[in-house]
Amino acid sequence: MQKLTWQRIVLKVGSALIAPEQDGCRSRYLLSIAQFIVRCRARGIEVILVSSGSVAAGAHLFPTDKPRTVTMKKAMAAAGQTEMMAMWDRFFDFPSAQILLTHGDLRDRERYESIRETTFTLLENGVLPIINENDTVTTDDLKVGDNDNLSAMVAAAADADALIIFSDVKGLYDKNPNLHDDAILLPEIKSIDESVYAMAGCATSAVGTGGMKTKIEAAEKATSHGIATYIANGFEDETFSKLLDGENPGTIFTPYEKPMQEAVHWMTHTANEQGEVVVDGTFDESEEGETGCIRGDEIMEVHGEFAVGDTILVRNEDGTRLAKATANYSSCLLNFIADNEQSEFSEKMQGSIGPIISEKDIALLEKS
Ligand code: GLU
């Protein structure tokens, strides 16, 4: 038996565990999870819960003969969220707090910092943060879309030691266990590549939005930040006793040995680019070994509208995605420079402006 060394963990609980019949919350599976949370906290482990299930919990409050439009689902989420929070709250002697987020909140650096600070303050004061996507206000552009990826972003923001995704399967199998009797459970994944995604196939549960693919994406996000990620069966009691005994109940994705720095991780996995700059050349290392910068005279094209401080994608002419970075100049100014390359004024500008992206916030992507 291994000693648990976690200080802070994020648990992701899917809709199928909250509202298995899609007609309101049921305590059937949640009792074991609640007990696990209580036990972790009793051992001094800080717990953050990412709970799906608002749509499934609220569905029974709306007519079943009407089409399930996006608007209807948002209404179900708004009503079901209250029911779900009330359900969780009933299990605990300690207070819990609701945090509703969108991708729009997480990719804005100021709001992201605010989310972090609030979460840490709740934890310091013994309050259990319960997080879900704010489905009411999301649009295609603003949503994360699934709570597997959301839980990984939360785990990275909270500097968690482990992310545990409770699923309706034991873990990752070499092929879909629902279709193949001889599918083998893979207890440990050391690095996530295309072959891992291929094995994940598209096993989806009937109630939640995430399948195995989004769980692998979440594992990729979390492990690159140094966070061990588990996929485990939330329907089996044995899962929780094993976790408390320091055993692996399903699949563990081992964290990167050299995790990304927090700001670079945020830029790579959470921030969305607001625009794109096509440059002539590559990203060279400076003499000091730091990542080189892009100068004004290297800009070929500017796409999208962005302001100083926004995240942009830098790519070269053959389409290679070189980096995500913070823009030091607006798209308006960079467009002017790129469009008037030959003019005398523009040449002067090219020479006089500093690096177009901030050297301290560069996340390198593909090598050219
Ligand atoms: N936010 C959705 C809900 O609470 C769940 C999204 C998901 O299942 O991944 O119903």
Side-chain angles (χ1 to χ4, degrees):
M1 185 170 109
Q2 270 185 305
K3 197 177 170 318
L4 276 186
T5 52
W6 303 326
Q7 286 177 357
R8 183 176 301 144
I9 58 175
V10 172
L11 309 180
K12 189 261 168 174
V13 177
S15 304
L17 288 158
I18 308 268
E21 275 95 45
Q22 292 202 64
D23 63 349
C25 295
R26 293 282 178 278
S27 60
R28 196 183 327 152
Y29 302 114
L30 302 189
L31 264 169
S32 315
I33 300 175
Q35 212 166 46
F36 177 69
I37 294 172
V38 170
R39 295 213 169 118
C40 285
R41 284 175 49 115
R43 293 187 189 194
I45 301 167
E46 292 179 333
V47 180
I48 298 168
L49 182 59
V50 174
S51 179
S52 303
S54 62
V55 175
H60 71 113
L61 304 169
F62 294 82
T64 46
D65 55 344
K66 293 238 169 82
R68 262 196 174 215
T69 57
V70 173
T71 316
M72 184 66 96
K73 280 201 220 157
K74 288 183 177 207
M76 288 173 179
Q81 181 68 24
T82 326
E83 216 171 278
M84 187 171 80
M85 282 303 294
M87 171 75 132
W88 280 120
D89 208 48
R90 273 204 298 275
F91 290 127
F92 305 119
D93 291 337
F94 42 80
S96 56
Q98 167 181 280
I99 303 181
L100 295 176
L101 300 176
T102 65
H103 194 222
D105 300 321
L106 288 160
R107 70 185 182 217
D108 178 290
R109 192 70 204 179
E110 262 178 64
R111 286 193 234 167
Y112 179 81
E113 292 295 349
S114 161
I115 295 160
R116 270 163 66 88
E117 279 162 26
T118 308
T119 307
F120 291 142
T121 308
L122 290 169
L123 292 172
E124 272 160 33
N125 290 282
V127 183
L128 172 75
I130 304 183
I131 300 177
N132 193 5
E133 182 144 28
N134 192 350
D135 294 314
T136 313
V137 302
T138 53
T139 56
D140 281 348
D141 181 46
L142 282 180
K143 69 180 173 195
V144 179
D146 69 90
N147 277 4
D148 295 324
N149 275 291
L150 178 72
S151 66
M153 292 176 190
V154 166
D159 288 325
D161 304 299
L163 166 64
I164 307 172
I165 299 177
F166 292 121
S167 169
D168 52 1
V169 285
K170 231 182 164 70
L172 178 66
Y173 288 80
D174 63 345
K175 47 191 158 196
N176 189 337
N178 298 325
L179 304 175
H180 304 274
D181 287 343
D182 59 344
I184 297 166
L185 177 72
L186 305 167
E188 189 175 8
I189 302 289
K190 291 209 167 89
S191 80
I192 298 171
D193 55 21
E194 280 311 310
S195 68
V196 174
Y197 278 100
M199 283 187 287
C202 50
T204 47
S205 94
V207 186
T209 53
M212 205 33 98
K213 180 171 171 271
T214 52
K215 292 178 180 45
I216 310 288
E217 286 168 357
E220 196 173 350
K221 285 190 172 69
T223 53
S224 68
H225 196 54
I227 301 166
T229 305
Y230 294 80
I231 299 176
N233 193 329
F235 292 86
E236 290 173 358
D237 284 341
E238 189 196 42
T239 296
F240 307 102
S241 49
K242 278 195 166 172
L243 283 168
L244 286 168
D245 287 346
E247 289 170 26
N248 170 16
T251 301
I252 179 170
F253 296 82
T254 44
Y256 283 24
E257 271 173 32
K258 284 192 192 154
M260 288 179 188
Q261 293 300 309
E262 195 275 321
V264 173
H265 186 276
W266 173 80
M267 198 170 290
T268 313
H269 289 299
T270 305
N272 265 3
E273 56 264 18
Q274 311 293 305
E276 191 175 288
V277 173
V278 181
V279 295
D280 174 17
T282 56
F283 248 95
D284 17 81
E285 300 241 321
S286 72
E287 282 164 22
E288 292 80 40
E290 285 173 2
T291 310
C293 51
I294 302 288
R295 297 182 315 271
D297 60 355
E298 289 173 298
I299 307 172
M300 311 278 296
E301 290 164 41
V302 180
H303 303 285
E305 278 182 30
F306 50 88
V308 178
D310 281 349
T311 301
I312 55 170
L313 177 71
V314 182
R315 64 173 178 85
N316 66 14
E317 280 175 292
D318 68 13
T320 308
R321 292 157 52 87
L322 298 172
K324 271 177 160 184
T326 304
N328 278 344
Y329 296 95
S330 68
S331 52
C332 189
L333 181 70
L334 296 182
N335 255 317
F336 179 81
I337 293 175
D339 291 350
N340 298 281
E341 221 188 321
Q342 307 307 337
S343 81
E344 205 182 309
F345 177 67
S346 181
E347 270 177 29
K348 266 197 199 144
M349 289 279 292
Q350 285 172 11
S352 64
I353 69 169
I356 63 164
I357 52 178
S358 169
E359 280 178 89
K360 65 175 174 43
D361 287 338
I362 298 178
L364 291 179
L365 303 169
E366 302 164 40
K367 288 236 185 310
S368 59

